Amino acid sequence: MSDSNSPKAAESQIPQGQSPSGLFRGRLGAIATMHRKEQVMAPLLQHGLEIETVIPTDFDTDVFGTFTRDIERAGSQREAARRKAEAALKLTETTLAFASEGTFGPHPSLPFLPCNRELVMLLDVEHGLEVVGEAVSTQTNFRHQLVTRVEDALAFAKTIGFPEHGLVVRIDPDTSPDPGIEAPIHKGIVSEADLVTAVEWAIATAPNSTAHLETDMRAMMNPRRMKVIAEATQDLVRRIHQTCPQCNTPGFDVTRQLPGLPCELCGIPTGLVRAAIYQCHQCGFQHEVLFPNGVSTADPAQCSYCNP
Ligand SMILES: [Zn+2]
Ligand SMILES: [Zn+2]
């Protein structure tokens, strides 16, 4: 299952400004990554915005936080993406940069399902623009397990798609042999031999003889995540092409959804979405799209009068 956060409004209902091509065509955009995200991002951005792309050399995105929690991420997902983009601008001396940031956790509406939310940002200091694309997917292998035997580690590896998807092995962080010293973390394991060595090391070293295994969520170690980053990049390009009908600024998009979809049976307003408000963050122009989810009445099961 994969879904976008924006309602599927009929394209014809959304007023359009001029094409944003003139703002970007021929420019150089830096992609802030050291985990080979450019493999999926660069072709989509080059084609969608008619730009060239460059990867900053010696770019260490791990200082912005890692999934293995050895470095905590500061601030929101959007702030983290912005900081990466700003760092890439500095390193490459460009005025256009792209950065992505992912999170893993329970699905916002189906809390029992793990999900991967990816955000891809365009930061254009020449035009004062910040536009964000998103994708949410439940096709994620974000998992961890404690094992005391190598066989159990191999069995776990099988369930997460190893070795196409990489693994991380360490000592259980709560039982470090010396609390003052950070135990080493073995990341990017993609061969059975390396996995066995790392698990044997952890079992031998940990006071509780237990190895902590987790899926390596860095993009180049995780094809499923890479696919969601590609979807978020496509969403970004789509949003950039949605321009304000009044001032032509890219990123004219839904800022609010209004409830009140009438019940099919009694007509009383329900909590379901009746309208989406598009607003330009540059000039403030607003446009209301009625029934953005393609339905004009609500199921009586959702009605507080028909189904109290
Ligand atoms: Zn009703
Ligand atoms: Zn505008």
PDB file of all heavy atoms in Angstrom, residues 263-268 300 303-307, ligand 1:
ATOM      1  N   CYS A 263     -24.317  13.600   4.992  1.00  0.00           N
ATOM      2  CA  CYS A 263     -24.725  12.188   5.038  1.00  0.00           C
ATOM      3  C   CYS A 263     -25.635  11.895   3.850  1.00  0.00           C
ATOM      4  O   CYS A 263     -26.537  12.670   3.530  1.00  0.00           O
ATOM      5  CB  CYS A 263     -25.459  11.915   6.344  1.00  0.00           C
ATOM      6  SG  CYS A 263     -26.304  10.337   6.376  1.00  0.00           S
ATOM      7  N   GLU A 264     -25.421  10.752   3.241  1.00  0.00           N
ATOM      8  CA  GLU A 264     -26.181  10.333   2.066  1.00  0.00           C
ATOM      9  C   GLU A 264     -27.672  10.197   2.389  1.00  0.00           C
ATOM     10  O   GLU A 264     -28.534  10.459   1.551  1.00  0.00           O
ATOM     11  CB  GLU A 264     -25.617   8.974   1.608  1.00  0.00           C
ATOM     12  CG  GLU A 264     -26.121   8.505   0.278  1.00  0.00           C
ATOM     13  CD  GLU A 264     -25.661   7.078  -0.028  1.00  0.00           C
ATOM     14  OE1 GLU A 264     -24.739   6.584   0.658  1.00  0.00           O
ATOM     15  OE2 GLU A 264     -26.230   6.477  -0.937  1.00  0.00           O
ATOM     16  N   LEU A 265     -27.970   9.820   3.642  1.00  0.00           N
ATOM     17  CA  LEU A 265     -29.345   9.509   4.021  1.00  0.00           C
ATOM     18  C   LEU A 265     -30.099  10.732   4.542  1.00  0.00           C
ATOM     19  O   LEU A 265     -31.191  11.036   4.094  1.00  0.00           O
ATOM     20  CB  LEU A 265     -29.307   8.417   5.101  1.00  0.00           C
ATOM     21  CG  LEU A 265     -30.433   7.390   5.086  1.00  0.00           C
ATOM     22  CD1 LEU A 265     -30.509   6.666   3.747  1.00  0.00           C
ATOM     23  CD2 LEU A 265     -30.213   6.377   6.224  1.00  0.00           C
ATOM     24  N   CYS A 266     -29.497  11.459   5.507  1.00  0.00           N
ATOM     25  CA  CYS A 266     -30.217  12.541   6.177  1.00  0.00           C
ATOM     26  C   CYS A 266     -29.664  13.930   5.851  1.00  0.00           C
ATOM     27  O   CYS A 266     -30.288  14.935   6.198  1.00  0.00           O
ATOM     28  CB  CYS A 266     -30.201  12.324   7.688  1.00  0.00           C
ATOM     29  SG  CYS A 266     -28.581  12.636   8.425  1.00  0.00           S
ATOM     30  N   GLY A 267     -28.507  13.990   5.226  1.00  0.00           N
ATOM     31  CA  GLY A 267     -27.971  15.280   4.797  1.00  0.00           C
ATOM     32  C   GLY A 267     -27.232  16.065   5.864  1.00  0.00           C
ATOM     33  O   GLY A 267     -26.704  17.147   5.602  1.00  0.00           O
ATOM     34  N   ILE A 268     -27.188  15.533   7.081  1.00  0.00           N
ATOM     35  CA  ILE A 268     -26.474  16.228   8.168  1.00  0.00           C
ATOM     36  C   ILE A 268     -24.962  16.187   7.900  1.00  0.00           C
ATOM     37  O   ILE A 268     -24.449  15.165   7.438  1.00  0.00           O
ATOM     38  CB  ILE A 268     -26.830  15.582   9.532  1.00  0.00           C
ATOM     39  CG1 ILE A 268     -28.227  16.086   9.973  1.00  0.00           C
ATOM     40  CG2 ILE A 268     -25.779  15.905  10.602  1.00  0.00           C
ATOM     41  CD1 ILE A 268     -28.710  15.477  11.273  1.00  0.00           C
ATOM     42  N   PRO A 300     -23.810   6.642   5.541  1.00  0.00           N
ATOM     43  CA  PRO A 300     -24.558   6.874   6.796  1.00  0.00           C
ATOM     44  C   PRO A 300     -23.865   6.255   8.021  1.00  0.00           C
ATOM     45  O   PRO A 300     -24.133   6.696   9.153  1.00  0.00           O
ATOM     46  CB  PRO A 300     -25.907   6.204   6.537  1.00  0.00           C
ATOM     47  CG  PRO A 300     -26.035   6.174   5.047  1.00  0.00           C
ATOM     48  CD  PRO A 300     -24.645   6.037   4.493  1.00  0.00           C
ATOM     49  N   CYS A 303     -22.289   8.838  10.018  1.00  0.00           N
ATOM     50  CA  CYS A 303     -23.181   9.934  10.440  1.00  0.00           C
ATOM     51  C   CYS A 303     -23.563   9.782  11.896  1.00  0.00           C
ATOM     52  O   CYS A 303     -23.985   8.716  12.336  1.00  0.00           O
ATOM     53  CB  CYS A 303     -24.427   9.930   9.552  1.00  0.00           C
ATOM     54  SG  CYS A 303     -25.672  11.121  10.061  1.00  0.00           S
ATOM     55  N   SER A 304     -23.436  10.882  12.669  1.00  0.00           N
ATOM     56  CA  SER A 304     -23.715  10.818  14.107  1.00  0.00           C
ATOM     57  C   SER A 304     -25.226  10.730  14.377  1.00  0.00           C
ATOM     58  O   SER A 304     -25.649  10.355  15.462  1.00  0.00           O
ATOM     59  CB  SER A 304     -23.122  12.042  14.815  1.00  0.00           C
ATOM     60  OG  SER A 304     -23.678  13.208  14.263  1.00  0.00           O
ATOM     61  N   TYR A 305     -26.059  11.077  13.360  1.00  0.00           N
ATOM     62  CA  TYR A 305     -27.518  10.996  13.531  1.00  0.00           C
ATOM     63  C   TYR A 305     -28.025   9.603  13.119  1.00  0.00           C
ATOM     64  O   TYR A 305     -28.768   8.966  13.861  1.00  0.00           O
ATOM     65  CB  TYR A 305     -28.192  12.086  12.691  1.00  0.00           C
ATOM     66  CG  TYR A 305     -29.703  12.067  12.786  1.00  0.00           C
ATOM     67  CD1 TYR A 305     -30.346  12.541  13.938  1.00  0.00           C
ATOM     68  CD2 TYR A 305     -30.466  11.584  11.716  1.00  0.00           C
ATOM     69  CE1 TYR A 305     -31.728  12.517  14.023  1.00  0.00           C
ATOM     70  CE2 TYR A 305     -31.851  11.564  11.807  1.00  0.00           C
ATOM     71  CZ  TYR A 305     -32.481  12.021  12.960  1.00  0.00           C
ATOM     72  OH  TYR A 305     -33.845  12.009  13.053  1.00  0.00           O
ATOM     73  N   CYS A 306     -27.596   9.115  11.945  1.00  0.00           N
ATOM     74  CA  CYS A 306     -28.036   7.818  11.438  1.00  0.00           C
ATOM     75  C   CYS A 306     -27.360   6.653  12.171  1.00  0.00           C
ATOM     76  O   CYS A 306     -27.914   5.575  12.265  1.00  0.00           O
ATOM     77  CB  CYS A 306     -27.754   7.680   9.940  1.00  0.00           C
ATOM     78  SG  CYS A 306     -28.620   8.895   8.944  1.00  0.00           S
ATOM     79  N   ASN A 307     -26.145   6.881  12.627  1.00  0.00           N
ATOM     80  CA  ASN A 307     -25.384   5.800  13.275  1.00  0.00           C
ATOM     81  C   ASN A 307     -24.722   6.344  14.543  1.00  0.00           C
ATOM     82  O   ASN A 307     -23.512   6.503  14.598  1.00  0.00           O
ATOM     83  CB  ASN A 307     -24.339   5.247  12.288  1.00  0.00           C
ATOM     84  CG  ASN A 307     -23.633   4.023  12.839  1.00  0.00           C
ATOM     85  OD1 ASN A 307     -24.164   3.328  13.704  1.00  0.00           O
ATOM     86  ND2 ASN A 307     -22.426   3.771  12.348  1.00  0.00           N
TER      87      ASN A 307
HETATM   88 ZN    ZN B   1     -27.351  10.667   8.465  1.00  0.00          ZN
END
